[in-house]
Amino acid sequence: MELTTVWFILIAVLWVGYFVLEGFDFGVGMLLPVIGREENERRVLINTIGPVWDGNEVWVLVAGGATFAAFPEWYATLFSGFYLPLLLILVALIVRGLAFEYRAKRDEAQWRARWDLAIVIGSAVPALLWGVAFANILRGVPIDADMEYAGGFFNLLNPYALLGGLTTLLLFLTHGAVFISLKTDGRVREHARELALKIGVAAAAVTVVFLGWTQIDTGTVGSAVAFAVAAVALVGGLLAVLAGREGWAFIGTFVAIGLGVAGLFLALFPDVMPTTLADGTGLTTANAAATDYTLKIMTVVAVIFTPVVLAYQAWTYWVFRRRISVDHIPAPLPTPTRR
C-alpha cells in the first residue's frame, strides 16, 4: 500500500474519532438549556463532558496538522476556499471553551445565562458547518487549473451541503442526548432519553436522505456497505434508547456516526478535493501529497505516539465513567463582598 493511501486512511480515522467524540460534546452543549431546566441540572450536563471535551478537540487539531504535512496542496486549497466557514468554526470553538471556564466565575443568573448561550451557539455552529464543509468536499467545488479555489462563500451554500449540515446537526443532538442519558441519573436522564428518541427519528430520516444522495452521486461499493451498517446502527441505537439500554444506545450512535464519516471518505477516495470546473484540476492523493521522505518520517512518528494518545484518552474515559446527578453537585460558594 502506498504511503499516500496510508495517510488518507489515517486522516479519515482522525476525522472519525473527532466526530464520534466531539459530536456528543456538541450535542450536550446544544441541549444545555433544553434539558438543564435548573442551574444544578445545567451543571450536571457540563460536568458530563467537563473532563473530556478539550481532549476531544485534539482530534481535529491533529487531523488539520496531518493534512498540512501529508497533503499540503489539499490543506492550502481547503483552508483558502473554506476560509470563512472554518473561521466561524474556530471562533465558535474558542467562545465555547471560554464559556466552560467563565460561567462559574460569578454567582449571578444573568452572567451564567449569557455564557450558557455562548455554549449553545459555540456548539451549534461547528455542528452545522462541519457537515456543510464535508458535503462540499464530496460534491466538489470550483478549483482551477492551478489547484486554487475559484468560487465564493455562497458556492458552499448549495442544497446538498445544507442537507449535510442539517444531518450532522441532528446526529450530534441525538448523540449528545444519548450520552447524557448514559452519564446521568434522575430527571435529567429521563428527559434526555425522551429527547433522544424524538430527535433521533428526525436524524435518521435526514441521514438516510443525505447518505442516499451521496451514494447515488459519488458512492462506491465500500461506501454503500458503510452507509447501510451506519443506518442499521442508528436504528438499533434508537431501539436501545426505547428499551432503556443507554450503553447499547451510545454504541449505536457512536457506530452510526463513525461509519457514516468513514463512508464519506470511501466515496471520496482517491480524490481529496474534486473540482466542478471542466478545465480545472481536482486534488487527489497523488497530486496533493507531500514527498515520500516526509510521509516516511510522519509514519514513524504516528506509529510511536498514536497508541500512547489512544491509551491515555481511553484511561480518561474509564476514570470518569460513573453516572452523576444533581445530588453530586455542591452548593456554589458565596460571592465575596467588596470592601
Side-chain angles (χ1 to χ4, degrees):
M1 183 183 296
E2 295 183 359
L3 286 180
T4 53
T5 303
V6 170
W7 274 97
F8 181 89
I9 294 172
L10 289 176
I11 290 172
V13 170
L14 290 170
W15 281 109
V16 167
Y18 176 66
F19 278 114
V20 297
L21 295 176
E22 187 81 314
F24 67 74
D25 285 351
F26 290 147
V28 173
M30 289 185 284
L31 293 170
L32 183 64
V34 180
I35 296 178
R37 297 173 180 175
E38 300 175 358
E39 171 59 17
N40 278 355
E41 293 177 344
R42 289 190 287 273
R43 291 175 66 186
V44 166
L45 295 182
I46 292 174
N47 286 347
T48 61
I49 59 174
V52 297
W53 70 267
D54 48 355
N56 293 342
E57 286 189 352
V58 171
W59 287 79
V60 73
L61 298 177
V62 179
T67 303
F68 172 76
F71 300 100
E73 291 289 348
W74 183 13
Y75 181 93
T77 304
L78 176 65
F79 277 77
S80 60
F82 291 29
Y83 179 80
L84 182 55
L86 292 178
L87 177 63
L88 291 175
I89 290 173
L90 177 61
V91 172
L93 293 177
I94 292 173
V95 170
R96 189 179 70 127
L98 288 173
F100 284 137
E101 299 295 333
Y102 277 87
R103 78 176 300 277
K105 297 300 182 183
R106 291 169 60 178
D107 188 21
E108 297 177 8
Q110 188 178 33
W111 170 271
R112 291 193 297 266
R114 289 172 177 171
W115 286 116
D116 288 347
L117 179 61
I119 292 174
V120 174
I121 296 174
S123 301
V125 169
L128 176 69
L129 292 183
W130 279 129
V132 171
F134 268 84
N136 275 294
I137 292 174
L138 273 167
R139 172 180 173 268
V141 292
I143 301 175
D144 61 23
D146 296 323
M147 294 190 291
E148 295 182 1
Y149 181 73
F153 172 72
F154 291 101
N155 291 97
L156 306 177
L157 303 181
N158 54 80
Y160 175 73
L162 293 175
L163 180 62
L166 181 61
T167 300
T168 52
L169 182 73
L170 291 175
L171 281 176
F172 292 164
L173 278 168
T174 305
H175 198 35
V178 171
F179 179 77
I180 294 169
S181 68
L182 175 66
K183 288 289 293 178
T184 62
D185 214 341
R187 188 173 68 176
V188 173
R189 177 185 180 186
E190 296 301 322
H191 193 187
R193 187 187 300 168
E194 294 173 3
L195 277 176
L197 283 172
K198 295 177 181 178
I199 301 170
V201 171
V206 172
T207 300
V208 167
V209 175
F210 175 69
L211 295 184
W213 191 345
T214 301
Q215 183 63 29
I216 292 171
D217 278 359
T218 61
T220 63
V221 174
S223 66
V225 173
F227 292 159
V229 179
V232 171
L234 182 57
V235 173
L238 295 180
L239 291 176
V241 172
L242 190 61
R245 303 294 297 273
E246 289 96 346
W248 285 108
F250 184 72
I251 292 174
T253 55
F254 188 100
V255 171
I257 294 173
L259 286 180
V261 176
L264 297 181
F265 277 93
L266 286 171
L268 181 64
F269 184 81
D271 293 324
V272 295
M273 208 166 177
T275 181
T276 57
L277 299 179
D279 57 347
T281 302
L283 303 181
T284 67
T285 55
N287 65 12
T291 63
D292 286 340
Y293 183 70
T294 300
L295 295 177
K296 288 177 182 178
I297 294 176
M298 290 174 58
T299 303
V300 172
V301 173
V303 168
I304 295 173
F305 289 102
T306 299
V308 176
V309 174
L310 291 176
Y312 174 77
Q313 191 154 28
W315 175 78
T316 302
Y317 277 92
W318 175 256
V319 169
F320 295 100
R321 67 189 182 279
R322 302 295 184 185
R323 291 183 184 271
I324 61 175
S325 68
V326 293
D327 297 331
H328 298 107
I329 302 298
L333 297 174
T335 303
T337 57
R338 295 181 179 179
R339 296 183 179 180

